[in-house]
Amino acid sequence: LFLFLFFISDLIISTINLKRNLLFPTLPKFGIPRQTCSSKTIYDASSLYSDNKTHLISYKRDKECYRSKNKINENKIVLTIGGSTTDQRFINEGETFQDLLDVYFNGKYDFINGGVDGQSSIGHLFSIKNWHSKALKDINQQVSDVIYYIGINDLGLTYLNESELNKQVKLSRIIKDYLVNNSYIYSQIKNIYFSKSLPKTFGILAAHGKKFVPLEIPKKGEVSIRILDINGYSNLINDLLKATKESFPNTRIHIVQQQVPACKFENSNIFYDRHPNEFKDICKNIGQVYLSINHAVNKSKYSQYTTIYPMYLESPIEDKGFYDFAHTNNLGSMQIAQYLYRELKLN
C-alpha cells in the first residue's frame, strides 16, 4: 500500500507544472537541458586540479537561471552565451571571466553568464528564443551586447545538412527528459543504475577533467573548406544572428572563437595538433567550425552588427590555464577576461 501510494504521489507531482514548484527549485525553468535556476551549490573540484589543494567551488544561479547578474540592472547588459567553458561550473563566484570583466569595465556593464554545460549553437538558438528573450524581456533595451563563446561543442555540426540540424527530438527522448526532471522515482533509479555500472568519477570525467598528455612533436595538418552552403551550419549561424537581433534590437553581436589548448594554429588553414590519438582530428574539425562561422557571417545581412574574435589564432590562454582538454581554471578565466577586455569593441 505504501509503495502504491508513493508511486501515485510521484505520478501526480510529475504531472504538475513545476516551473515554480519549491520542491524542485533547480529544474530547468525555460526547458533548457542542464540548466539550473534558483540554486546554490558547493562543488568539490579538487580532482580536477593537480596542486593537491582542496577546491570547494561556490556556484550560484538566480531565479532567471543566470550567474553573475546584478539584482538591480541599471547599467548596460552584456549577455555571454556558450557551453561549459562559458558556464565555468568549477570556477568560484567572483572569479569567472564575467565577474572579472565587471571589474575591468568599472561596473559600466553587467556581464551576465548565460552559459549552459554541453550546449552547442543549436542550443544557443533555442535559448535565445525560449530563455533569454523571455527572462530579459522587460530590460531588453539594456542588452547592448551579446557574446557567443563558440568552439568545441560545435564539433561535427558542420557535417550536418539542413534537415539534420533542424531534426525534431524523438518522443522517447522527450519522455526520458521529462521523467528525469519531474519524477523522483525515475531519477533515483537512474542514479542508482549509473552509480553501480560506471566509475564514481564518471559524472565529472564525462565532461570535465579528461586528462591528456600533449604530444611532444605536434602533428601538422590543414583545414579544408567543405561545401559550406549545403551542410546547413552556415544557415544555423545566420538564424542565430537573426534571432539575437530580433530579441535584442539594440545589441551588437560578438563571436569569440574559443581557444582549444593543444591546437596551435599558424593561420586559419594550418595547425599543429598536440592531442594524442583518442582526440584524432579535433583540431581539423574545430578549424572547420571557425571557417564555417567566418563564411556564414560574411554572407549574412547581419554582418554589420557582428564582430568575430579569432582567439584560437592568438592563443592568449597559457597551457597551465586549463585543467583539461577544454576547460579553464582560475588562471585561464583571468586570461579570457584580459583578452576580452583588450579586444572587445563595446557600444
Side-chain angles (χ1 to χ4, degrees):
L1 179 61
F2 172 77
L3 288 175
F4 175 76
L5 292 175
F6 189 64
F7 274 97
I8 292 298
S9 299
D10 184 69
L11 179 63
I12 293 173
I13 293 174
S14 67
T15 56
I16 295 175
N17 184 340
L18 294 175
K19 286 184 178 180
R20 299 287 182 180
N21 196 315
L22 297 178
L23 292 175
F24 299 92
T26 62
L27 288 181
K29 180 178 178 181
F30 299 99
I32 314 295
R34 299 189 186 180
Q35 178 195 55
T36 58
C37 313
S38 302
S39 65
K40 296 181 180 180
T41 308
I42 300 295
Y43 291 108
D44 184 354
S46 302
S47 64
L48 298 178
Y49 294 81
S50 56
D51 54 11
N52 296 319
K53 297 179 180 178
T54 300
H55 290 268
L56 296 180
I57 305 299
S58 175
Y59 180 88
K60 299 178 183 178
R61 289 273 182 170
D62 66 13
K63 65 179 181 180
E64 301 301 339
C65 316
Y66 293 118
R67 290 186 82 182
S68 186
K69 180 175 179 291
N70 292 338
K71 292 182 178 180
I72 301 176
N73 260 311
E74 297 178 347
N75 297 336
K76 290 183 178 180
I77 292 172
V78 180
L79 174 61
T80 63
I81 298 174
S84 57
T85 50
T86 302
D87 179 15
Q88 304 160 95
R89 187 171 298 265
F90 300 110
I91 297 292
N92 233 334
E93 296 297 323
E95 298 177 341
T96 66
F97 71 76
Q98 293 89 347
D99 292 321
L100 296 176
L101 286 169
D102 285 341
V103 176
Y104 291 172
F105 281 93
N106 297 316
K108 183 179 179 181
Y109 300 91
D110 181 14
F111 286 81
I112 296 177
N113 186 337
V116 177
D117 206 345
Q119 197 169 74
S120 69
S121 290
I122 295 176
H124 304 333
L125 179 59
F126 184 86
S127 293
I128 277 288
K129 294 179 177 180
N130 298 282
W131 172 16
H132 307 300
S133 60
K134 296 177 180 179
L136 302 174
K137 181 179 180 180
D138 294 337
I139 52 175
N140 72 338
Q141 299 297 316
Q142 293 174 234
V143 182
S144 63
D145 299 87
V146 173
I147 297 175
Y148 288 102
Y149 196 75
I150 295 178
I152 203 163
N153 286 350
D154 277 18
L155 291 177
L157 293 187
T158 59
Y159 289 94
L160 303 180
N161 58 37
E162 195 82 29
S163 62
E164 290 172 321
L165 285 170
N166 294 319
K167 185 169 61 177
Q168 297 297 314
V169 179
K170 292 182 179 180
L171 179 61
S172 60
R173 173 60 185 271
I174 294 175
I175 293 174
K176 287 180 180 179
D177 286 346
Y178 178 81
L179 289 174
V180 168
N181 288 334
N182 297 341
S183 172
Y184 176 82
I185 294 175
Y186 181 87
S187 62
Q188 293 306 307
I189 291 175
K190 184 176 181 180
N191 289 340
I192 292 172
Y193 168 76
F194 279 123
S195 68
K196 296 291 185 181
S197 61
L198 296 171
K200 292 183 178 180
T201 56
F202 179 82
I204 286 180
L205 293 179
H208 296 266
K210 188 169 185 178
K211 307 296 183 181
F212 70 93
V213 179
L215 297 176
E216 293 184 6
I217 303 176
K219 298 172 289 186
K220 185 176 181 180
E222 184 174 355
V223 182
S224 58
I225 300 178
R226 289 193 287 273
I227 307 176
L228 301 175
D229 284 319
I230 295 178
N231 61 30
Y233 185 72
S234 292
N235 290 334
L236 170 64
I237 296 299
N238 184 69
D239 289 343
L240 185 61
L241 302 181
K242 178 183 177 182
T244 304
K245 287 299 292 182
E246 289 177 348
S247 299
F248 306 108
N250 297 333
T251 195
R252 291 281 307 176
I253 303 170
H254 310 266
I255 298 179
V256 179
Q257 296 174 325
Q258 170 193 356
Q259 176 187 345
V260 177
C263 299
K264 303 299 181 183
F265 279 81
E266 184 176 294
N267 53 51
S268 59
N269 296 106
I270 304 297
F271 62 84
Y272 294 88
D273 186 355
R274 297 187 297 157
H275 287 99
N277 292 331
E278 61 262 35
F279 293 95
K280 184 179 179 182
D281 291 335
I282 187 173
C283 296
K284 180 178 180 179
N285 290 335
I286 198 72
Q288 184 61 57
V289 167
Y290 297 148
L291 286 181
S292 299
I293 289 174
N294 295 344
H295 176 82
V297 172
N298 287 337
K299 75 169 191 173
S300 173
K301 70 176 183 179
Y302 302 99
S303 61
Q304 60 181 311
Y305 308 108
T306 307
T307 304
I308 296 175
Y309 302 84
M311 175 193 274
Y312 75 108
L313 295 179
E314 302 175 41
S315 298
I317 310 172
E318 302 174 53
D319 282 354
K320 61 183 179 181
F322 295 91
Y323 62 74
D324 65 7
F325 70 101
H327 303 95
T328 53
N329 53 31
N330 292 348
L331 173 63
S333 175
M334 182 181 68
Q335 292 175 335
I336 292 174
Q338 291 171 342
Y339 171 82
L340 293 177
Y341 178 66
R342 183 177 69 248
E343 298 293 330
L344 280 178
K345 306 296 187 294
L346 298 183
N347 294 333

